[in-house]
Amino acid sequence: MRRLAPGVRALGLLALLLASGAGSAPVLAAPDDVALLKSYIGTWRGRGTLTGANVETVVCRLTLAEGNRDMVNYNGRCTLAGTQLSIAGTVAYVEENRRYEAAMSSNAKFGGRAIGQKRGSNLVFTMHERDKDEVGKDLDISAQMKFSNDAIHVVFDVVYVDNGDSLRAEVPFTR
């Protein structure tokens, strides 16, 4: 890992995926889609790794709770090398867009949106974007969060465009 700041940023972007919440309210969301989303309400704990030049342990807690109008609210916290990231937001099935949407805010001064799709009995959120690190270097960021039965699995990749250096976080969650 280059230094702690990119790792903390990667952890923050990982949290973005974990804490995604919808920016618009669902319109007559399909009952089965809402039921699938609400089946994940509860407290989740995850322990995984952030791999770059070094391997570091990432420890996360995520709480999903029933919100207004068929939404699920979430609050979470991840710790890496003594640094904490807090996140909050909502997740909903948005019938007018025929998809799950999630958006978040954090104490790391970023927020965003992830799109979710139902794949069989699983719910998978994906995100891909370009951004810059704290010194202006281009980053290619991709992430996936899979809700499957009684587990959540997050995989998150950051690649520095100029030199190919990368960070990868993998965090499995259980109740």
Side-chain angles (χ1 to χ4, degrees), residues 67-86:
N68 296 328
R69 297 180 296 187
D70 295 330
M71 292 187 212
V72 172
N73 297 329
Y74 64 85
N75 286 293
R77 183 182 343 218
C78 290
T79 303
L80 168 71
T83 301
Q84 284 197 353
L85 176 74
S86 298

Side-chain angles (χ1 to χ4, degrees), residues 92-111:
Y93 183 80
V94 181
E95 182 66 33
E96 66 189 60
N97 296 335
R98 293 185 175 169
R99 66 185 185 198
Y100 294 89
E101 296 182 8
M104 67 153 289
S105 61
S106 75
N107 67 338
K109 299 180 184 170
F110 67 84

